[in-house]
Amino acid sequence: MPRDVGVIVAAAGRGERLGGPVPKQFRPIAGVPLLLRALRPFLAHPAVAEVVAVLPPDTAARPPAWLADLIGERLRIVAGGATRTESVGAGLRGLGPGCSIVLVHDGARPFPVREVIDEVIAAARRGTGAVAAVPVSDTLKEVVSESAGDAEPVGSSALSASSTRPPVVARTIPRVGLWRAQTPQGFPRSLLETAYAAARTQGWTGTDEAELVERSGGTVVLIRDAATNLKITTPDEWRLAEALARGQ
């Protein structure tokens, strides 16, 4: 297997929803830092030539000792930006020229699955983007705000900042054909760089890299992922991750 894969691990957020004095990505899950759990499967993968961890600028300049000890030929640290798009772009510029395939993984996902990583790499080598994803199994409800006497749909950010009155259901959304995008996401490097160039020209931002590739005309396929590859953003998800780690 050629070693032509570069991996960007996006960990430039502050984890404010989780709280606590230590940045989320450095807190231990069953004794192992969250970020280290996210990094290990890629550092150990035979196709991966190098990994770039994207951190907040202050911690990129002064990483914790356990991370600083790992920095070398296969792992480097770069400073992230104000948005995910900026941070992953910084990681992309940090990869060496020998990486013709690029994977992007959330630093807050500590349990990526080796078989899924392999499938994402294989799809990217065939020339398309690839996203680890799981089909939506819950019933989906769109809600409205009644604060102004109207019935305008609102997003989750608006709901979190609204009053304590329960939101009103506007409609049930059919879940057939809906998937939850996760990571890793993989792309031919040229495809991802083209998408980022278009994003800079057009002023696009995206919630993930596949969105930028889609908007620039690239093809993206879905690779079925495991539900255990969760992204940790809340205390409840942290407790679930602790249970999963202790059960491994």
Side-chain angles (χ1 to χ4, degrees), residues 29 32-41 105-113 228-232 237-238 241-242 244-245 248:
I29 297 176
V32 179
L34 167 58
L35 179 58
L36 182 56
R37 286 186 178 273
L39 288 170
R40 278 177 171 173
H105 185 64
D106 295 324
R109 292 188 189 272
F111 307 121
V113 178
T228 53
N229 183 24
L230 75 164
K231 185 176 182 180
I232 301 176
E237 289 161 345
W238 191 275
E242 287 272 3
L244 288 170
Q248 288 182 339

Side-chain angles (χ1 to χ4, degrees), residues 118-173:
D118 291 344
E119 290 188 48
V120 169
I121 292 172
R125 283 184 173 150
R126 293 192 292 268
T128 68
V131 175
V134 294
V136 171
S137 59
D138 297 315
T139 298
L140 301 177
K141 303 290 185 181
E142 184 178 47
V143 300
V144 296
S145 171
E146 293 187 317
S147 59
D150 56 19
E152 291 296 319
V154 296
S156 59
S157 59
L159 285 174
S160 63
S162 66
S163 69
T164 57
R165 293 175 59 188
V168 177
V169 173
R171 66 187 179 109
T172 298
I173 300 174

Side-chain angles (χ1 to χ4, degrees), residues 98-222:
C99 298
S100 58
I101 301 297
V102 177
L103 269 57
V104 182
H105 185 64
D106 295 324
R109 292 188 189 272
F111 307 121
V113 178
R114 169 61 188 269
E115 292 78 7
V116 175
I117 296 172
D118 291 344
E119 290 188 48
V120 169
I121 292 172
R125 283 184 173 150
R126 293 192 292 268
T128 68
V131 175
V134 294
V136 171
S137 59
D138 297 315
T139 298
L140 301 177
K141 303 290 185 181
E142 184 178 47
V143 300
V144 296
S145 171
E146 293 187 317
S147 59
D150 56 19
E152 291 296 319
V154 296
S156 59
S157 59
L159 285 174
S160 63
S162 66
S163 69
T164 57
R165 293 175 59 188
V168 177
V169 173
R171 66 187 179 109
T172 298
I173 300 174
R175 65 186 178 215
V176 176
L178 296 180
W179 291 64
R180 286 192 294 109
Q182 304 194 152
T183 65
Q185 301 186 2
F187 311 90
R189 184 172 186 160
S190 58
L191 183 64
L192 189 58
E193 289 179 335
T194 296
Y196 265 79
R200 287 191 297 271
T201 301
Q202 302 296 327
W204 298 339
T205 59
T207 55
D208 67 1
E209 293 61 56
E211 181 180 356
L212 300 182
V213 171
E214 294 157 26
R215 294 182 69 177
S216 64
T219 299
V220 178
V221 300
L222 297 182

